[in-house]
Amino acid sequence: MKRIAIDPKLLGAQHWLAPLGTLVPVMGRHTDPAALADVDALVIRSVTRVDTALMAHTSADFVGTTTIGFDHIDRDLMAQRGIRWTNAPGCNALAVADYVESVMAHWCADQGRAVDSLRVAVIGVGGIGRIVAQRLAAMGCTVMLNDPPRHAAGDLPEHVALADCLAQADVISVHVPLITQGPTPTRDLLGLTELDLLGADQLLISAGRGGAVDNSALRARLQQPNAPRAALDVWHGEPDIMPELWPLAWIATPHIAGHALEGKLRGTWMVAQSLAAHWGVEFSGPSVSEVAAGMLAKPRQARELDWITRAHQIYDVRADDARFRAALDGLTGAALAAAFDQLRDGYPKRREIHD
Ligand SMILES: NC(=O)C1=CN([C@@H]2O[C@H](COP(=O)(O)OP(=O)(O)OC[C@H]3O[C@@H](n4cnc5c(N)ncnc54)[C@H](O)[C@@H]3O)[C@@H](O)[C@H]2O)C=CC1
Ligand SMILES: O=C(O)C(=O)[C@H](O)COP(=O)(O)O
């Protein structure tokens, strides 16, 4: 029987990966490379950095991350070693859109703004950005789209320059991957110059990768009197986040925007299918929605509720923010990093808002 090293926090591994091979739990962020010596495949989350050191002793020829982002995988190494790798595109896109919806519901209530009066800029119009833009447009928002790679490829004629988005939108929602090379890198996409374009009436939502916003610049900006509000789900250097930054955020969460049950399960389900195809074996198992429903029933159907009520009853981001503040208050260094990871690993069960 083949052996599959898995992050023990994967959801659904027993349903979809166990039929393919013997599961060997490893340690997520702290995986010992020696533990991979005799495995055939590695199935991970975003916390496991797949690099030369991790892969030093293994002959595994498959790496799957049950996440959308794949900046934690050294793709050059995968190519050099002939290792097939895959991510799970779109697996938790709906959950991230739920996060944005919940943040905006609370911001509108707080500011006394009607959602259909808002101008919202979506930065990075891929799988997630597209869903966010469609939902907000359906609620009556004026939506501005920024995505230079798609614009350059000719499929986003309505593209708006980043500076115009920052200067004109009420809400700016950032959904770019972490890209460090090439013509349109996203590392520190929002630095001092860009953050200076924002004012006190604006809300910045960051739910892509922490490295896309210069955290030192944001800290400085949020300390100024006309600072915008910031809802931050992702942080530079996770789990070693900047202890001076998070208390300045209006909403602070531990990289859980995508952590609805369906999002996590779908990631495992998608990677298991890729692994089955890689090994040329049949794939079977229950559906994602069956497994999610067995883990947590939805309190109400989304269609029965208006969007503000949904943001309270199905997914309320303020509960995540409250847990974050209570757990991280006063912590620095290793204790802060450990508390950040514990919040993620012990995240409560949550369903996607929409059916
Ligand atoms: N907070 C969380 O829990 C989660 C975070 N993510 C992050 O969100 C990212 C985006 O996810 P998807 O939309 O599904 O990915 P995607 O790959 O479908 O779309 C990314 C989009 O960003 C655009 N882009 C690239 N460089 C850009 C730049 N310099 N400026 C503006 N746009 C740029 C691309 O052209 C593409 O259209 C993931 O790569 C991941 O890092 C994903 C899931 C959950
Ligand atoms: O899908 C992604 O990309 C993400 O950022 C995930 O939601 C992160 O989840 P974990 O894999 O870190 O649990």
Side-chain angles (χ1 to χ4, degrees):
M1 189 109 177
K2 299 227 189 209
R3 289 165 60 81
I4 310 168
I6 59 158
D7 183 311
K9 293 290 172 188
L10 291 187
L11 278 196
Q14 292 300 333
H15 293 294
W16 299 302
L17 287 169
L20 303 178
T22 303
L23 303 185
V24 181
V26 288
M27 290 295 289
R29 202 188 287 290
H30 307 291
T31 297
D32 176 359
L36 305 182
D38 57 355
V39 303
D40 302 289
L42 179 55
V43 182
I44 55 165
R45 301 161 51 216
S46 74
V47 294
T48 302
R49 184 145 295 280
V50 182
D51 55 12
T52 312
L54 184 78
M55 302 302 277
H57 308 294
T58 188
S59 54
D61 68 352
F62 179 96
V63 172
T65 182
T66 61
T67 57
I68 295 179
F70 50 81
D71 47 284
H72 50 294
I73 297 179
D74 180 340
R75 278 96 67 200
D76 292 338
L77 177 69
M78 299 295 102
Q80 282 160 22
R81 300 261 302 261
I83 299 172
R84 157 115 173 83
W85 73 271
T86 186
N87 64 331
C91 64
N92 52 37
L94 295 172
V96 179
D98 291 350
Y99 173 92
V100 173
E101 196 173 317
S102 187
V103 168
M104 285 188 55
H106 292 302
W107 187 76
C108 282
D110 188 81
Q111 300 282 302
R113 294 285 306 262
V115 68
D116 59 5
S117 74
L118 296 181
R119 188 182 285 264
V120 182
V122 176
I123 314 300
V125 195
I128 295 173
R130 250 182 276 231
I131 295 172
V132 168
Q134 281 163 6
R135 276 198 201 174
L136 295 174
M139 289 198 278
C141 296
T142 303
V143 180
M144 305 167 83
L145 303 176
N146 170 271
D147 193 318
R150 282 191 59 195
H151 183 55
D155 72 343
L156 196 70
E158 65 272 46
H159 167 86
V160 178
L162 179 61
D164 292 333
C165 288
L166 296 170
Q168 295 168 23
D170 301 294
V171 179
I172 297 94
S173 202
V174 182
H175 301 287
V176 291
L178 183 62
I179 301 172
T180 53
Q181 288 166 346
T184 53
T186 60
R187 185 178 287 286
D188 295 340
L189 185 66
L190 270 60
L192 270 181
T193 310
E194 292 74 24
L195 295 168
D196 265 350
L197 295 170
L198 299 174
D201 296 336
Q202 289 170 287
L203 171 68
L204 172 67
I205 302 175
S206 176
R209 282 292 180 265
V213 179
D214 178 337
N215 279 206
S216 300
L218 182 59
R219 172 190 165 192
R221 185 71 189 86
L222 294 179
Q223 284 171 324
Q224 292 171 353
N226 66 338
R229 288 211 169 153
L232 305 178
D233 181 56
V234 289
W235 310 82
H236 180 81
E238 295 173 16
D240 293 303
I241 71 169
M242 192 183 279
E244 303 86 0
L245 174 59
W246 73 258
L248 301 168
W250 178 61
I251 295 282
T253 50
H255 192 159
I256 47 66
H259 273 194
L261 290 175
E262 290 93 329
K264 292 185 188 182
L265 290 167
R266 208 176 283 121
T268 309
W269 178 77
M270 290 171 76
V271 169
Q273 286 185 62
S274 298
L275 180 57
H278 179 65
W279 284 343
V281 297
E282 201 172 315
F283 177 79
S284 62
S287 71
V288 166
S289 48
E290 271 175 288
V291 178
M295 295 175 78
L296 180 71
K298 272 192 192 178
R300 296 276 297 276
Q301 297 299 313
R303 59 181 167 272
E304 298 168 16
L305 306 167
D306 67 82
W307 81 295
I308 299 281
T309 314
R310 283 201 300 259
H312 288 83
Q313 293 194 2
I314 302 186
Y315 173 49
D316 188 345
V317 71
R318 289 175 312 176
D320 289 339
D321 171 76
R323 268 190 297 274
F324 187 99
R325 286 176 203 278
L328 269 57
D329 188 32
L331 300 182
T332 55
L336 174 63
F340 185 91
D341 270 347
Q342 275 162 19
L343 279 173
R344 306 196 73 224
D345 289 348
Y347 190 64
K349 292 189 180 82
R350 154 187 155 206
R351 295 290 306 273
E352 286 174 352
I353 289 181
H354 297 273
D355 305 315

